[in-house]
């Protein structure tokens, strides 16, 4: 999304040893190589070059590429997932707070609707006690403030945790990877319990996604001493710059 990185497009002239990064054609065109994705692009000789020639390959500043870039993209995707979770939990917390403040009015309205549903069921001869609407209204009518307080506190807690995870992962902080792994693992038993209670596409999908995130973080990011256990900043990817960006051999 940040575009190509083509250092050969910004210098006045290209030397034979720069052929792995760019070359000037006989017809006046210049072909340059992106050091991020390795694509070759057509460019023109700059009117105001930033320098006369390219630095040596060893001194060339490279953008993130390969595994490092892929890991950054995956972390951003997980960060977006956690941000969506944070928004959902924030909305739940807001609704619970609204109901808690107006609990008396909510009870009265639920009782009124229960009577309406009961009269309608009586007139049609249906068993209202088995209806979804009746059961949900009955639960609301008997809702306790203590239950709402626990639910609201839990929603606020996850709202904060998921938000912190999203920010930390977006900024690629190591502590955020550990926090996400621990929070995801802690939430799995609840997801499995809900799935055993009733199987739905959303519940199965959420469980699969969270397991995939947990496995990726623990294995690919080497958390908790898994798969080598060294911190990512200590696991620099070995790049043979000469073989990668040096001039092609005959």
């Amino acid at each position: 999304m940040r575009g190509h990185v083509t250092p050969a497009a910004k210098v006045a002239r290209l030397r034979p040893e720069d052929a792995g990064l760019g070359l000037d054609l006989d017809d006046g065109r210049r072909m340059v190589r992106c050091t991020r994705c390795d694509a070759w692009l057509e460019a023109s000789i700059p009117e105001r070059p930033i320098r006369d020639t390219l630095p040596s390959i060893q001194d060339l500043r490279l953008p993130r590429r390969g595994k490092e870039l892929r890991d950054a993209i995956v972390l951003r995707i997980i960060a977006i997932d956690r941000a969506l979770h944070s928004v959902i939990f924030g909305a739940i917390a807001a609704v619970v707070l609204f109901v808690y403040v107006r609990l008396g009015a909510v009870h009265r309205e639920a009782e009124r609707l229960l009577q309406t549903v009961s009269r309608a069921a009586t007139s049609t001869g249906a068993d209202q006690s088995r209806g979804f609407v009746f059961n949900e209204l009955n639960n609301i009518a008997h809702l306790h403030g203590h239950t709402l307080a626990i639910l609201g506190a839990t929603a606020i807690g996850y709202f904060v945790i998921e938000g912190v995870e999203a920010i930390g992962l977006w900024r690629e902080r190591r502590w955020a990877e550990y926090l996400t792994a621990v929070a995801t693992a802690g939430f799995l038993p609840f997801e499995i319990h809900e799935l055993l209670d009733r199987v739905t596409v959303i519940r199965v999908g959420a469980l699969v996604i969270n397991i995939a995130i947990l496995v990726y973080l623990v294995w690919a990011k080497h958390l908790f001493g898994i798969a080598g256990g060294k911190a990512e900043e200590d696991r620099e990817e070995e790049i043979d710059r000469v073989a990668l960006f040096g001039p092609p051999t005959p």
Side-chain angles (χ1 to χ4, degrees), residues 123-144:
S123 62
T124 58
D127 184 6
Q128 72 271 17
S129 63
R130 296 183 179 180
F132 173 79
V133 175
F134 180 87
N135 291 333
E136 292 303 316
L137 288 174
N138 188 59
N139 291 333
I140 294 174
H142 294 86
L143 196 60
H144 297 290

Side-chain angles (χ1 to χ4, degrees), residues 133-214:
V133 175
F134 180 87
N135 291 333
E136 292 303 316
L137 288 174
N138 188 59
N139 291 333
I140 294 174
H142 294 86
L143 196 60
H144 297 290
H146 178 68
T147 303
L148 287 174
I150 296 176
L151 180 60
T154 303
I156 292 174
Y158 273 103
F159 164 74
V160 174
I161 292 175
E162 300 280 3
V164 171
E165 289 178 30
I167 295 173
L169 290 174
W170 189 268
R171 300 179 66 184
E172 301 175 46
R173 296 294 187 262
R174 185 69 171 173
W175 58 261
E177 297 173 4
Y178 277 99
L179 177 60
T180 303
V182 172
T184 302
F187 205 63
L188 287 180
F190 298 100
E191 291 186 293
I192 295 174
H193 178 270
E194 290 296 314
L195 192 60
L196 293 176
D197 180 59
R198 184 162 63 93
V199 177
T200 65
V201 175
I202 294 178
R203 292 180 180 182
V204 172
L207 181 62
V208 170
I209 290 174
N210 283 331
I211 291 178
I213 290 174
L214 181 61

Side-chain angles (χ1 to χ4, degrees), residues 17 32 35 39 50 54-55 58 74 118-119 128 140 160 165 168 176-178 187 205-206 209:
E17 58 264 34
V32 295
T35 54
I50 61 175
L54 285 171
Q58 297 299 335
V74 173
S118 297
R119 288 195 296 268
Q128 72 271 17
I140 294 174
V160 174
E165 289 178 30
E177 297 173 4
Y178 277 99
F187 205 63
I209 290 174

